[in-house]
Amino acid sequence: EAQVTQNPRYLITVTGKKLTVTCSQNMNHEYMSWYRQDPGLGLRQIYYSMNVEVTDKGDVPEGYKVSRKEKRNFPLILESPSPNQTSLYFCASSLSGRLIGETQYFGPGTRLLVL
Amino acid sequence: AQSVTQLGSHVSVSEGALVLLRCNYSSSVPPYLFWYVQYPNQGLQLLLKYTSAATLVKGINGFEAEFKKSETSFHLTKPSAHMSDAAEYFCAVSVRKGLAGNQFYFGTGTSLTVIP
């Protein structure tokens, strides 16, 4: 089954404790992206990647890091989480990121609480 | 600058009534518009998209949307609401940013409640 998977689905952590949220897709997509969803703000893009070793900032990249060492994986790293990063996070992928009107496919989400 | 505005963060309709969820966009380039649905505790699922072909776009589950350039709108409709339509709906615009590829901008979402 074609899908985007994220782990963990739920995470509670404390301020300053580094964490990684994994994202993997099995559709051989080149483009991958991370979003955060907050009430009243919709989804905002954190980082995206056009291909292996190619990443770029979205609208809200502060406090986050990403890496793209393999085509299928795109982990999101919070080096020193803070309470304002408490949010619902979505990973998404699409075929190339360049085709007009290309659809993004979303993972199930990771709910993060930073105390 | 590109943006999407969804009017009404909460919409309630009776079962069997018309569903109308509003979306207006702002784009300096030809937009490609999407509607996604998010069911509780799930990720986003594509309902339909407009990519400059027909202005009336039909999607899954009986939903459709009409692209109106003169009104910069892409409202989502369904003639008869079903209980299973209760969810959060997001309008999004995709624009090509040169070599940087496509960037998506999402609206703030509209929560649809269906009253039995």
Side-chain angles (χ1 to χ4, degrees):
Chain A
E1 180 188 354
Q3 59 183 349
V4 179
T5 57
Q6 297 177 226
N7 282 291
R9 295 289 312 279
Y10 304 91
L11 180 59
I12 300 174
T13 189
V14 295
T15 299
K17 186 176 181 181
K18 180 179 178 179
L19 67 91
T20 299
V21 183
T22 65
C23 172
S24 183
Q25 50 90 8
N26 62 1
M27 295 171 278
N28 202 35
H29 285 170
E30 292 186 357
Y31 182 92
M32 297 186 75
S33 180
W34 276 103
Y35 295 88
R36 60 178 290 173
Q37 182 183 5
D38 301 290
L41 297 177
L43 278 79
R44 294 177 293 167
Q45 190 173 46
I46 303 171
Y47 270 95
Y48 63 96
S49 169
M50 296 293 290
N51 211 328
V52 175
E53 304 293 2
V54 180
T55 63
D56 207 347
K57 298 177 181 178
D59 294 320
V60 288
E62 295 78 20
Y64 304 94
K65 283 177 57 177
V66 292
S67 69
R68 187 91 182 273
K69 292 182 170 55
E70 302 170 286
K71 195 172 186 178
R72 63 182 291 127
N73 297 322
F74 190 43
L76 179 70
I77 303 157
L78 284 71
E79 295 269 1
S80 183
S82 62
N84 64 13
Q85 292 178 299
T86 292
S87 187
L88 178 58
Y89 291 87
F90 287 102
C91 182
S93 74
S94 66
L95 186 62
S96 73
R98 296 185 182 86
L99 298 176
I100 294 173
E102 199 171 271
T103 299
Q104 286 195 89
Y105 298 88
F106 285 81
T110 295
R111 192 170 291 279
L112 172 65
L113 172 61
V114 183
L115 300 173
Chain B
Q2 282 64 238
S3 68
V4 172
T5 302
Q6 291 183 241
L7 294 173
S9 57
H10 298 275
V11 171
S12 293
V13 300
S14 297
E15 190 174 16
L18 171 71
V19 176
L20 171 60
L21 304 182
R22 299 177 187 274
C23 173
N24 288 87
Y25 69 90
S26 170
S27 177
S28 56
V29 297
Y32 300 97
L33 296 156
F34 300 75
W35 275 100
Y36 281 87
V37 60
Q38 183 182 26
Y39 298 106
N41 299 313
Q42 295 186 28
L44 278 71
Q45 178 183 350
L46 180 69
L47 266 181
L48 50 80
K49 65 179 179 180
Y50 167 75
T51 56
S52 76
T55 56
L56 182 62
V57 183
K58 294 188 184 300
I60 61 171
N61 302 337
F63 284 93
E64 62 182 37
E66 186 172 9
F67 173 71
K68 293 186 176 180
K69 186 177 180 180
S70 61
E71 299 177 7
T72 60
S73 69
F74 190 56
H75 301 331
L76 182 70
T77 61
K78 182 174 180 178
S80 177
H82 193 273
M83 295 299 293
S84 61
D85 294 328
E88 185 98 19
Y89 292 80
F90 291 94
C91 183
V93 62
S94 169
V95 293
R96 181 78 178 271
K97 296 186 75 175
L99 295 177
N102 298 330
Q103 183 154 7
F104 272 68
Y105 298 88
F106 284 84
T108 52
T110 297
S111 177
L112 176 66
T113 300
V114 181
I115 304 166

